[in-house]
Amino acid sequence: MDVVGIIAEYNPFHHGHRHQLEQIRQHRPGAFCLSVMSGHFTQRGEAAVLDKWQRAEAAVENGLDLVLELPFVFSVRSAQHFASGGVRLLERLGVVETLAFGAETTDTALLHRLSEESLRPETQRRLRRRMGEGLSYAAALEAAISIPLIAPPHLLRQPNTILALEYLNAIRRFSSSLTPLALPREAAAYHDTTLRTPFASASAIRAALSQGGDEWQNAVPKSLVPRLKEWQQRGLPRDEALFLPLLARLLSSSPTDLRQIYGMNEGLENRFLSAARTAASLLDLRQAIRSKRYPATRVQRTFLSLLLSLTASQMARFDEAGPLYARVLSFNDRGRHLLREIRKKSALPLVTKAKDFLSPKPPEEPSKPLLLKMLRLDTLSTDLWGLTLFPRRPAGLDFTTSPSYQRAAFPSVEPPPDRPQTPPNPPRAFPK
């Protein structure tokens, strides 16, 4: 059984994502394709532009067979933990053989060498020292492994290359049997906010959506346009809506309380409390806290940990255990067959309805199994995402929303406008 896994956010799904699937289909005819996708908040700690079920459904409409949710405790993390959570979940399904990903380079020998170099104990010591000096992870890693001697200086400033290395590192760290498959990235740069069709970045699409125009429509599949237009008209999620709940939590907390929260170390709790006394908005709060040592994305993720009361000790237990279930979001006929195989071969339970595992009411006893605590955070993050909307969504959607099922096994999709017709170079697998 040939199964290819992808770790993604699809925020939103666009032509670059579909092009990646088409590359896989061209070179691996008949392969099953599944994705492990983040839920209602992204790796950067921001609210996703569509709910997780709609994003998963759009992905299945445009080429995937099955979409599973990456638990919140791994999806809203640094690149290392995001990659580790995704790799461990794919491995534990028992059916995935290949991990496909896009990167700014498909020089597999180079990526393989960079991965090996980054895991050396001496490199890790230099990395920690450089980050302690205030460098970003990418800049610190570049300095730690003397990248000019190995690769072009700009390479590790590319977010998809960083993720590619973290996927490889996770495969080695957890002795995974997954075979990595690098694919050329055909979209604009990850952080590029200029709308360049047909292959625009998700960042550019979100920026265009927030501005209220319709230029973004040529950058996403036609099947997704009505959904995005509807959300654009009634109001996209706004992280700013979380400011008052966050401020109330900060003003009622002591430094000792805050030090228990995941991400709140190295005296960061003092910066939070000081900023909370004067900030007039979430942006003000984030700007007052951020620094060279504490980048905005880390601060934004810590906001969510604080709102969900996620402690450092809890996160350590989650990291040790890894993903403990596979939450189903969307699938087609081939995905249904894939789910049957997962049930046979995986030790992980498949979650199709949260109510089969949890009650909508918080558990009274503190001794709930770790799986339920992990799943509870997924449902709470959905409720938190509902607060970013106006009018807000009711709480408990994870207990009332079922996975979407689509009968089409291979969806018929239109090519993106002005797409080059020359086939891509065949991807190359990494040496085992």
Side-chain angles (χ1 to χ4, degrees):
M1 189 176 192
D2 190 4
V3 182
V4 178
I6 301 167
I7 304 168
E9 291 187 327
Y10 298 144
N11 185 39
F13 192 94
H14 55 64
H15 290 318
H17 296 134
R18 192 175 60 196
H19 181 66
Q20 181 188 62
L21 291 172
E22 290 170 347
Q23 289 181 86
I24 295 171
R25 298 290 189 195
Q26 287 173 7
H27 299 289
R28 304 283 287 275
F32 292 83
C33 293
L34 69 85
S35 175
V36 168
M37 188 191 79
S38 57
H40 280 113
F41 288 90
T42 66
Q43 187 197 353
R44 295 173 59 84
E46 298 169 346
V49 73
L50 292 174
D51 72 46
K52 61 188 178 185
W53 297 284
Q54 289 179 307
R55 286 165 35 238
E57 190 174 69
V60 172
E61 286 172 352
N62 287 279
L64 276 168
D65 297 313
L66 172 65
V67 179
L68 305 172
E69 181 178 358
L70 180 62
F72 174 88
V73 296
F74 302 106
S75 62
V76 186
R77 301 285 295 280
S78 66
Q80 176 184 345
H81 294 99
F82 177 88
S84 294
V87 165
R88 294 171 84 182
L89 180 49
L90 289 174
E91 176 72 25
R92 291 177 178 186
L93 295 177
V95 298
V96 182
E97 300 169 349
T98 303
L99 169 62
F101 53 85
E104 288 81 7
T105 177
T106 55
D107 185 339
T108 55
L110 172 61
L111 290 173
H112 193 68
R113 184 180 175 190
L114 285 171
S115 172
E116 289 181 332
E117 183 68 20
S118 72
L119 289 176
R120 290 178 57 237
E122 179 58 31
T123 302
Q124 288 293 307
R125 285 192 291 270
R126 289 197 297 263
L127 174 65
R128 288 191 292 271
R129 185 172 65 250
R130 291 290 191 167
M131 291 182 69
E133 295 169 357
L135 292 182
S136 68
Y137 179 81
L141 185 60
E142 180 181 338
I145 64 177
S146 303
I147 191 172
L149 302 178
I150 302 175
H154 68 278
L155 189 60
L156 284 184
R157 302 299 177 106
Q158 305 296 329
N160 287 283
T161 298
I162 289 288
L163 267 178
L165 293 183
E166 294 300 347
Y167 292 145
L168 293 178
N169 292 349
I171 287 172
R172 291 186 174 90
R173 189 179 298 115
F174 298 105
S175 302
S176 170
S177 62
L178 297 176
T179 299
L181 187 62
L183 299 167
R185 179 176 168 81
E186 295 292 344
Y190 182 84
H191 295 302
D192 188 354
T193 56
T194 302
L195 198 64
R196 309 175 193 277
T197 57
F199 295 116
S201 71
S203 296
I205 296 169
R206 292 195 302 272
L209 277 165
S210 66
Q211 292 164 8
D214 58 6
E215 299 85 357
W216 53 269
Q217 294 185 25
N218 287 331
V220 301
K222 288 181 179 177
S223 63
L224 189 54
V225 171
R227 293 190 189 96
L228 288 172
K229 284 183 69 175
E230 179 185 357
W231 281 94
Q232 186 183 42
Q233 290 166 3
R234 66 174 166 178
L236 296 167
R238 295 177 62 253
D239 291 294
E240 185 62 42
L242 300 178
F243 174 61
L244 290 181
L246 184 62
L247 192 62
R249 180 66 195 276
L250 284 170
L251 294 177
S252 61
S253 298
S254 69
T256 302
D257 295 332
L258 294 184
R259 277 194 290 272
Q260 311 306 313
I261 298 299
Y262 175 71
M264 200 78 73
N265 49 16
E266 301 174 334
L268 190 56
E269 69 277 3
N270 297 317
R271 294 181 68 91
F272 269 69
L273 289 172
S274 176
R277 288 194 286 269
T278 57
S281 68
L282 191 74
L283 178 60
D284 283 349
L285 187 65
R286 187 171 58 240
Q287 291 297 102
I289 297 169
R290 66 174 296 187
S291 66
K292 190 174 182 181
R293 188 180 184 88
Y294 307 118
T297 51
R298 174 179 170 179
V299 174
Q300 184 71 25
R301 290 192 293 259
T302 307
F303 287 165
L304 297 180
S305 294
L306 182 57
L307 287 167
L308 296 176
S309 300
L310 179 55
T311 67
S313 59
Q314 284 178 318
M315 193 65 90
R317 293 182 64 199
F318 292 139
D319 285 341
E320 181 180 1
L324 297 174
Y325 51 85
R327 176 76 185 273
V328 183
L329 297 178
S330 186
F331 59 99
N332 60 20
D333 286 329
R334 286 165 54 85
R336 173 175 281 178
H337 176 73
L338 197 51
L339 286 170
R340 285 197 292 266
E341 292 300 308
I342 291 171
R343 285 190 177 95
K344 293 176 186 176
K345 299 179 180 178
S346 175
L348 296 180
L350 284 173
V351 178
T352 55
K353 295 181 180 179
K355 66 181 180 181
D356 293 339
F357 290 77
L358 292 171
S359 164
K361 296 180 180 180
E364 295 180 0
E365 64 276 22
S367 58
K368 282 284 185 179
L370 197 61
L371 181 154
L372 301 188
K373 292 180 179 179
M374 188 180 291
L375 183 58
R376 172 69 65 185
L377 285 164
D378 291 350
T379 68
L380 290 175
S381 71
T382 296
D383 295 344
L384 198 62
W385 183 83
L387 296 181
T388 69
L389 305 175
F390 184 81
R392 59 161 288 209
R393 276 197 174 186
L397 288 177
D398 275 291
F399 298 95
T400 58
T401 308
S402 299
S404 65
Y405 164 59
Q406 301 170 49
R407 289 187 177 277
F410 282 103
S412 176
V413 296
E414 81 287 354
D418 304 321
R419 178 184 155 189
Q421 295 301 309
T422 54
N425 293 326
R428 295 172 289 172
F430 284 84
K432 294 293 284 183

